[in-house]
Amino acid sequence: MQSQTKAPLSADSKPEGMLAKARENLRMACDQLNIHPDVFEELKWPRETLAATLLIRMDDGSRRAFKAWRCRYNDRRGPTKGGVRFHPNVSLDEIETLAFWMTFKCAVANLPFGGGKGGVCVDTKQLSPVELERLSRAYIEAFAPFIGPDHDILAPDMYTNGIVIAWMSDEYSSISGQASPSALTGKPLAFGGTVGRIDATARGGYYALRHLETSLDVNPDKSTVAIQGFGNVGYHCAKLLHADGYTIVAITDSSGGIYDPAGFDPLAVMQHKHETGSVKGAKGHGKTKQISNTVLLELDCDVLVPAALERQITLDNCDRIKARVILELANGPVSPEADKRLTEAGHVIVPDILANSGGVTVSHLEWVQNRSGFYWDESRVRDHLKTTMETETRAIWTLHNEMSVSMREAAYIHGLRRIAESVEARGTPAYFDGT
Ligand code: NAD
């Protein structure tokens, strides 16, 4: 096993794409707050992005190279924090965009972190478990000088689960010569993980929705919910809302899905998925129909929960979206153009940087517990998550009303205020001019 770290990339070599689009929210928030151009200048590019080629020995004795990145977008509020994604479509632009979103998500949740992200261009389904372990360790070997509990903290993301994080944590501790559990979060409990992390992302979105029920005119007695994606986030969200009385009328995963106006029991659907590998064929309480993902997104329901992939709602389908409330548990499920059109048409989008911030909020608690060596019980973790989600949701909803901006714009304004304060705390142009 061998890995090679390359020199940081220059800003000019980066392609324009998702990050350029994401940056429009930064521009909007800077304009709304009338913030000094220095802040925009500081935040328009990542602070540093490292690229590496991970060379691993395959089971058949050959060597294969995998492209990998780690981006630290901005660290004014603290060490950077963000997941590592293993996916064949991972690109530099995607990693930097996700790191940008993490910067704002951590600020929205008022965490002492900046934003980071990493990834490897790989289809993990093509690797044996031992090859996956070699790749996970090679990632840490490549980026070890760049990460650490006070510098850059890693976490799971798509196709990097608890065992991958355990291998990474183990490798990082070996390289640093001491147990360093707080360099990675999302660890298994036996590896220094925290209780309450598994459903934290879904639970955070659930607390946000329930807190806004009166304002959004939704409630368990009358409202229907459609959920795209039935993995960790989609399943736990369905379970929590169903337990409170919401009717879960549709669920899809990558193979398609199911619709039943009388609703589903998410536990039974998950059991079916375990047995068959898909939600298709699971039965609801009434006449269940098989549907596609396209149909799910366009269903007549009260709350739509995208909990799968980026860019599911675009200009191609946004005019057919009927759900009045969209709770973005996935990252970036609505394109910026569709977001504008939907907002103008009166839909309320609870944006990803608020709605799915429960995951990183509980990851912060894992980091705190690792550093103090004192571990919390589940009710303490949940209470903290609930208070954080309700406080930040209320602040963003108030800004949304007071400034007549969308909830997404309000969330960016809310996050930017905090980031700008930490930039300005190092000296403003007025201070240096002496004016
Ligand atoms: P996961 O891998 O556990 O589940 C993903 C689900 O999406 C699977 O059920 C898969 O079948 C389904 N899916 C894939 N393609 C689909 C398609 N075209 N249509 C419908 N379903 C499809 O992932 P997860 O951890 O639940 O994450 C889901 C989303 O939430 C991702 O966007 C992720 O970035 C975001 N997110 C997750 C966390 C977390 O803590 N897990 C935190 C923040 C954001």
Side-chain angles (χ1 to χ4, degrees), residues 54-126:
L54 312 183
L55 278 172
I56 68 159
R57 180 84 61 199
M58 306 302 281
D59 292 346
D60 65 4
S62 65
R63 270 177 179 263
R64 263 188 69 192
F66 297 89
K67 291 189 74 173
W69 295 275
R70 185 73 201 165
C71 171
R72 297 179 64 242
Y73 199 94
N74 188 277
D75 62 354
R76 290 299 197 180
R77 287 177 50 83
T80 47
K81 172 103 188 70
V84 184
R85 178 171 287 199
F86 283 2
H87 195 275
N89 298 338
V90 162
S91 68
L92 175 62
D93 185 41
E94 181 187 47
I95 294 301
E96 293 188 335
T97 307
L98 287 160
F100 171 90
W101 287 336
M102 276 305 288
T103 304
F104 278 84
K105 198 182 297 183
C106 290
V108 159
N110 208 8
L111 306 176
F113 294 139
K117 204 78 180 188
V120 180
C121 222
V122 60
D123 180 357
T124 52
K125 291 175 188 152
Q126 307 294 322

Side-chain angles (χ1 to χ4, degrees), residues 85 197 201 228-233 252-254 273 293 307-309 329-331 356:
R85 178 171 287 199
R197 178 62 185 86
T201 302
Q228 185 198 36
F230 206 55
N232 172 295
V233 175
T252 52
D253 63 16
S254 56
K273 188 172 161 78
N293 262 297
L309 304 169
L329 292 189
N331 285 312
N356 71 28

